[in-house]
Amino acid sequence: MITVSNLTKRYGSVHALGPVDLEIPRGGVTALIGPNGAGKSTMLTIIGRLLSGDSGRVEVGDLDVVTADSRELAKKLAILRQENHFVARLTVRQLVGLGRFPHSRGRMRPDDVEAVDLALEFLDLTPLQDRFLDELSGGQRQRAYVAMVLAQQTDYVLLDEPLNNLDMRHAVTMMRQLRRAADELGRTVVVVVHDVNFAAAYADLVVAMVDGRIAHVGPAREVITPYVLTEVFGTPVDVIEHRDRPVAVYYH
Amino acid sequence: MRSSYRARLIGISVLAILAAVAILFYGNPAPAGSRGYWTIVESRMVSVGTILIVAFCHGVGTVVFHAVTNNRILTPSILGFDALYRVIQTGLVFFFGAGAVAASDGLLKVVVQSVLMVAFATLLYGWLFSGTHASLHVLLLVGVVLGMGFSSLSTFMQRLLTPSEFDILTARLFGHISVSNVAYLPWGALVCVIVGAILWRRRHVLDVVSLGRETAISLGVAYRREVVIALVLVAVLISVSTSLVGPMTFLGFVVALLTYQIVGSSEHTRTLPMAAAVGASTLLIAYFILRHLFYAAGLINVIIELVGGLVFLGYLLRKGLR
Ligand SMILES: Nc1ncnc2c1ncn2[C@@H]1O[C@H](COP(=O)(O)OP(=O)(O)O)[C@@H](O)[C@H]1O
Ligand SMILES: [Mg+2]
């Protein structure tokens, strides 16, 4: 379980988050939705201990993310940020291999190699594994980052807009795979999605944020409604049914 | 890929060995086998040893520096190292006079100088990294500003020197590969071996650190600590080289650039040995050509800096500052 209590964050004079209280249960897929600047990335980054909150606590499993040993935490919790820039030149396989670092400390054993193979396969990257990252399209690179995070094989996986740059097929595949990671491997997946319909189609729990606060939490069916979405996004949203799932329509 | 890497590493090392042999034995004026012959070979061995140390320090130091600063352009010199070297040299002449400086040549001076430079680096990094919002850009900016400060300080002191003191100082401010200090060589080599071993043990951590702060932390690496350790080790390497032959601003950049081209990927398991090999062969070959074919011994550093500077400019113009 991820427990966020009384968490706040300011950037200088900008109030970005909180106070926020939230419980994300173990297992399953949780989607964070909300307009730009709602504080989704800020909250996710703090939960992933890459940023420190101004006040409040975050516990992942039974570890306090601020005080826990970073190495131990890296075996329990993996996070992919929205932006990833570095000048190091690596192949897809090398990058995904670095995801094993918390376990291997650089010395790859057979189970590390297996985890890398699995993650590559999971994201349809096996044919691209020896290509350099700077020789890939944005979407392919995005998949490589996600594969790296999955190769870490942690109980908790936090992903900030992993569908960025993905075409329809790969976006759907990615969400399916995250669903599979939750169902088959028992992972707890928390994912920020831009498109509410992916939340509607794949998430067990949807958390809607506005202005640094949590506006609504609940199963997809309760949050993906015309009333909630119109309020959260500040634009008229209709919801229709498609194969027993709500679908938001907001193009007019 | 693995085998081609190995072949390249071996090829480049063989080049370095050939160049070293050429330097040792080419055009020896004394009759082969005579006493004078071996004296000359011995003195040339000092040059080869110096070159190996300098190449190692700049090559490996720059690759590590690039990994932890997440850039492939700026080199340690930008952190004010060259400028600090100049200010220390100028300060010595300024405060103690040219005579004292000539007399204090030797291991002690070199050690004091190295300790000063590493201490400066450690203080600077310690201070910069103790704040929560210090970024490497800030570090680099501070380095540039300090470099300018040190340069002005040197210039100021140089104005107050007598012409003869100034002469002696100028002679020291330009590096000489040919006239390094013999007593210091074994120590320099020892430091290189130790620092090299530490870096080699941390090579996987360096891979992770080169992915940037966030990814490194998320992989359980104590990012700030690792960066400071790496930067201090780089400081040690560069100060060893600078104490030996004076500043070499662009050597590290050129060696690192070649290394990346040759290796392809940034894995330190490959770039570290390759940087040492590339550094050694580039510098040995340059030295052989300039010294033994063109008899331009006095110009070696100047020419290397000139070529390196041109490569640097060319790179900037082509790729931009990123
Ligand atoms: N590094 C930063 N410096 C200053 N303000 C920031 C920074 N990052 C985010 N913010 C501000 O904090 C708020 C929340 O941002 P963020 O968490 O990135 O939103 P979201 O991910 O939901 O789009 C926004 O108002 C944004 O402008
Ligand atoms: Mg965001």
Side-chain angles (χ1 to χ4, degrees):
Chain A
M1 191 163 77
I2 297 175
T3 316
V4 175
S5 26
N6 203 24
L7 189 63
T8 62
K9 176 73 187 176
R10 301 178 73 86
Y11 297 101
S13 62
V14 181
H15 181 83
L17 189 69
V20 164
D21 290 281
L22 178 67
E23 281 191 1
I24 298 174
R26 237 204 112 127
V29 175
T30 299
L32 296 186
I33 60 170
N36 296 339
K40 308 179 294 291
S41 296
T42 301
M43 184 167 83
L44 204 73
T45 320
I46 296 176
I47 296 176
R49 53 97 165 72
L50 302 183
L51 185 69
S52 48
D54 295 338
S55 66
R57 276 167 70 86
V58 176
E59 277 177 55
V60 173
D62 45 11
L63 298 176
D64 182 318
V65 295
V66 176
T67 56
D69 179 40
S70 186
R71 253 191 199 181
E72 284 311 304
L73 210 50
K75 296 179 188 169
K76 290 238 161 85
L77 168 78
I79 175 166
L80 174 74
R81 289 183 322 134
Q82 196 169 347
E83 313 271 337
N84 294 280
H85 294 297
F86 48 84
V87 293
R89 190 154 188 270
L90 297 169
T91 64
V92 172
R93 196 180 177 85
Q94 287 166 349
L95 179 80
V96 178
L98 286 177
R100 292 303 294 166
F101 188 81
H103 308 275
S104 69
R105 313 292 308 161
R107 255 173 266 279
M108 301 283 274
R109 285 177 302 263
D111 57 324
D112 297 311
V113 175
E114 203 176 297
V116 171
D117 286 334
L118 200 68
L120 288 171
E121 203 178 305
F122 228 70
L123 285 148
D124 204 8
L125 287 168
T126 314
L128 299 177
Q129 58 177 318
D130 290 323
R131 291 263 285 274
F132 281 103
L133 291 173
D134 55 11
E135 298 166 345
L136 299 180
S137 76
Q140 292 167 333
R141 208 174 305 143
Q142 181 71 7
R143 272 150 57 207
Y145 294 136
V146 174
M148 173 188 184
V149 165
L150 289 187
Q152 213 173 324
Q153 296 194 330
T154 52
D155 291 343
Y156 296 88
V157 181
L158 314 179
L159 304 154
D160 198 348
E161 306 213 12
L163 305 183
N164 265 356
N165 291 319
L166 295 193
D167 58 30
M168 272 185 215
R169 175 167 82 91
H170 284 109
V172 170
T173 318
M174 168 95 60
M175 285 312 283
R176 276 217 196 107
Q177 299 296 31
L178 295 179
R179 192 66 253 175
R180 249 180 84 196
D183 294 339
E184 293 172 19
L185 310 173
R187 308 280 171 75
T188 307
V189 178
V190 182
V191 54
V192 176
V193 285
H194 196 64
D195 181 344
V196 294
N197 288 327
F198 278 111
Y202 292 96
D204 302 301
L205 188 72
V206 177
V207 178
M209 296 184 68
V210 188
D211 290 339
R213 276 163 217 274
I214 289 170
H216 296 274
V217 186
R221 189 151 288 290
E222 286 172 23
V223 179
I224 309 297
T225 62
Y227 171 76
V228 170
L229 292 183
T230 301
E231 177 202 302
V232 164
F233 288 94
T235 181
V237 181
D238 242 351
V239 173
I240 58 173
E241 284 284 322
H242 177 71
R243 294 205 193 158
D244 278 348
R245 283 285 193 170
V247 175
V249 184
Y250 49 89
Y251 305 106
H252 298 288
Chain B
M1 219 164 98
R2 190 161 294 275
S3 66
S4 99
Y5 161 76
R6 195 164 284 170
R8 288 171 198 190
L9 185 62
I10 292 173
I12 287 165
S13 307
V14 167
L15 268 186
I17 293 169
L18 288 180
V21 170
I23 291 172
L24 290 182
F25 299 107
Y26 180 83
N28 192 326
S34 70
R35 224 199 208 155
Y37 183 86
W38 290 112
T39 316
I40 289 176
V41 170
E42 248 168 56
S43 86
R44 288 177 177 188
M45 267 161 88
V46 173
S47 302
V48 170
T50 310
I51 290 172
L52 288 178
I53 293 175
V54 169
F56 182 90
C57 290
H58 280 278
V60 171
T62 305
V63 166
V64 172
F65 185 79
H66 282 173
V68 298
T69 55
N70 206 7
N71 94 91
R72 281 186 165 191
I73 293 168
L74 304 168
T75 61
S77 313
I78 205 115
L79 278 178
F81 265 95
D82 292 1
L84 183 72
Y85 174 77
R86 291 199 182 91
V87 93
I88 289 174
Q89 292 296 329
T90 312
L92 283 175
V93 174
F94 183 78
F95 289 110
F96 302 110
V101 173
S104 74
D105 245 342
L107 196 58
L108 183 69
K109 193 197 92 184
V110 163
V111 168
V112 168
Q113 200 169 286
S114 306
V115 167
L116 269 178
M117 300 222 272
V118 174
F120 157 79
T122 311
L123 273 179
L124 178 65
Y125 307 144
W127 166 55
L128 281 170
F129 282 90
S130 60
T132 46
H133 39 252
S135 72
L136 281 161
H137 292 110
V138 175
L139 178 74
L140 294 170
L141 198 62
V142 171
V144 171
V145 172
L146 282 180
M148 290 184 338
F150 285 144
S151 296
S152 324
L153 190 62
S154 306
T155 312
F156 171 71
M157 288 194 286
Q158 282 162 16
R159 301 245 150 139
L160 302 179
L161 294 178
T162 66
S164 66
E165 282 173 334
F166 186 73
D167 257 5
I168 289 179
L169 178 66
T170 332
R172 294 171 162 275
L173 288 184
F174 289 97
H176 313 270
I177 286 176
S178 329
V179 280
S180 75
N181 200 323
V182 189
Y184 180 52
L185 272 189
W187 296 102
L190 183 69
V191 172
C192 284
V193 168
I194 293 172
V195 172
I198 300 174
L199 287 171
W200 181 250
R201 286 198 54 178
R202 303 187 102 78
R203 64 195 186 279
H204 299 300
V205 176
L206 285 173
D207 286 340
V208 175
V209 166
S210 70
L211 296 179
R213 174 182 175 272
E214 273 78 11
T215 310
I217 293 177
S218 127
L219 291 172
V221 165
Y223 179 76
R224 190 186 291 177
R225 185 177 145 240
E226 291 301 334
V227 169
V228 171
I229 290 175
L231 287 176
V232 169
L233 291 176
V234 170
V236 170
L237 286 179
I238 304 299
S239 68
V240 164
S241 166
T242 310
S243 308
L244 210 52
V245 300
M248 300 271 256
T249 315
F250 296 108
L251 177 65
F253 170 80
V254 172
V255 172
L257 187 68
L258 284 171
T259 302
Y260 302 141
Q261 293 287 333
I262 292 168
V263 177
S265 86
S266 320
E267 283 181 309
H268 289 88
T269 305
R270 293 177 177 193
T271 51
L272 291 179
M274 189 65 90
V278 168
S281 55
T282 326
L283 207 49
L284 284 168
I285 291 171
Y287 183 84
F288 175 71
I289 293 176
L290 292 174
R291 164 88 210 256
H292 294 282
L293 299 185
F294 290 118
Y295 305 103
L299 291 177
I300 289 172
N301 289 53
V302 178
I303 291 177
I304 289 175
E305 288 296 84
L306 184 67
V307 173
L310 287 176
V311 174
F312 183 74
L313 267 182
Y315 185 90
L316 273 192
L317 291 177
R318 211 157 48 84
K319 301 245 170 148
L321 189 79
R322 221 216 84 79

